Amino acid sequence: MRKNIVAGNWKMNTTLPEGIKLAEEVNAALKGFSAKCDVVICVPFTHLASINNVIDKELLGLGAENCANHVKGAYTGEVSAPMVASTGATYVILGHSERRQYYGETSETLREKVRLALDNNLTPIFCVGEVLEERENGSYFEVVKCQLEEGLFNLSAEEFGKIILAYEPVWAIGTGKTATDDQAQEMHAFIRKTIEEKYGKEVAENTSILYGGSCKPSNAAALFAKPDVDGGLIGGAALEAESFMGIVKAF
Ligand code: PGA
């Protein structure tokens, strides 16, 4: 059966010393507690190797927030999937709406990134989600289906089985405006149905689908209680060990 997962997305926050301290705090909190979900932190590239040295990977998974769509070469400033993997990280967020919106990431680039992540044994946490206008004009199911089809449905069933999905309505990210648990459940069920149509029931049932967008300790339990919500991708509330752990404990 699919896993429940709470993953932090630190975005462009924390200096290296701050990041190490936060990772140590989360790691320490997990030691004294038997979490009912997998817990992962996705951190800036600059922090990966150092954080890998201070956490217990049995308790806390480590991931990057992006990787390049090339293996190596003359791509100044980029960080490749093999580089990420060489730090000890085993996850990578791909297709976050901020990457799509501010850095022009297309489904074509994302297919390349997913391929490279899988080739390097990184588990992609692949994000989909509609913007406010698409929520309001009712095209949100179509938009999310298209993101899945274009970004992932070139994969074989075996490859798709390695993907974690995150539904993040863009209008709920960092805005304090969470999707209601019913809105999240409706979309997660739709995503699972879409996966089933392409890859069959077993693959669909085994895929973890996380919710992201202003998830916090006060709303996490209601979201995670929904049958198709298998955890969360957490931005702002992952920047303090206490609030992040509050969400982990919602399971
Ligand atoms: P948020 O971000 O929790 O701050 O809304 C979630 C995300 O963008 O992954």
Side-chain angles (χ1 to χ4, degrees):
M1 264 314 268
R2 60 185 179 261
K3 287 180 177 171
N4 291 325
I5 302 162
V6 171
N9 172 15
W10 289 6
K11 309 194 180 184
M12 198 174 74
N13 293 295
T14 73
T15 61
L16 179 58
E18 288 165 353
I20 292 173
K21 182 166 172 279
L22 177 55
E24 284 174 337
E25 286 169 4
V26 172
N27 191 72
L30 286 168
K31 259 187 197 151
F33 172 75
S34 140
K36 293 187 189 64
C37 59
D38 284 5
V39 185
V40 177
I41 48 174
C42 297
V43 308
F45 292 131
T46 45
H47 299 19
L48 286 169
S50 306
I51 290 181
N52 185 60
N53 286 333
V54 299
I55 61 173
D56 177 352
K57 303 284 279 301
E58 298 282 310
L59 297 175
L60 182 57
L62 180 64
E65 302 172 12
N66 180 31
C67 71
N69 61 327
H70 300 282
V71 182
K72 65 176 190 171
Y75 302 101
T76 302
E78 287 291 284
V79 176
S80 70
M83 291 173 184
V84 169
S86 72
T87 68
T90 55
Y91 296 85
V92 60
I93 298 174
L94 292 175
H96 191 281
S97 61
E98 287 151 17
R99 301 288 323 167
R100 293 177 190 260
Q101 197 179 336
Y102 307 142
Y103 300 96
E105 288 196 357
T106 62
S107 294
E108 190 186 356
T109 327
L110 287 171
R111 283 198 297 276
E112 295 167 346
K113 293 186 179 199
V114 169
R115 166 72 46 218
L116 288 168
L118 292 175
D119 285 351
N120 289 281
N121 297 317
L122 297 172
T123 300
I125 301 176
F126 189 91
C127 304
V128 296
E130 80 285 359
V131 300
L132 184 60
E133 190 191 340
E134 294 158 345
R135 171 60 54 174
E136 286 175 343
N137 71 21
S139 64
Y140 47 101
F141 288 129
E142 210 175 297
V143 166
V144 168
K145 185 172 187 184
C146 186
Q147 290 170 340
L148 290 169
E149 286 175 345
E150 291 185 353
L152 293 173
F153 282 5
N154 61 314
L155 298 176
S156 68
E158 196 196 333
E159 290 165 337
F160 189 88
K162 298 177 179 157
I163 305 285
I164 297 168
L165 287 175
Y167 167 58
E168 299 204 307
V170 181
W171 46 272
I173 295 178
T175 56
K177 201 175 163 193
T178 323
T180 64
D181 34 306
D182 287 334
Q183 282 173 325
Q185 169 56 26
E186 185 187 34
M187 180 58 89
H188 284 225
F190 172 78
I191 291 171
R192 205 176 301 287
K193 184 172 80 66
T194 305
I195 298 168
E196 185 178 337
E197 282 162 9
K198 169 76 182 168
Y199 292 109
K201 197 166 178 64
E202 195 184 334
V203 172
E205 284 301 321
N206 285 330
T207 303
S208 298
I209 309 175
L210 317 184
Y211 168 80
S214 300
C215 184
K216 39 190 183 266
S218 58
N219 58 25
L223 285 159
F224 299 170
K226 292 292 176 185
D228 288 295
V229 178
D230 307 312
L233 183 56
I234 319 299
L239 294 174
E240 278 182 12
E242 197 185 330
S243 53
F244 188 57
M245 285 305 295
I247 295 171
V248 170
K249 288 174 183 173
F251 271 114

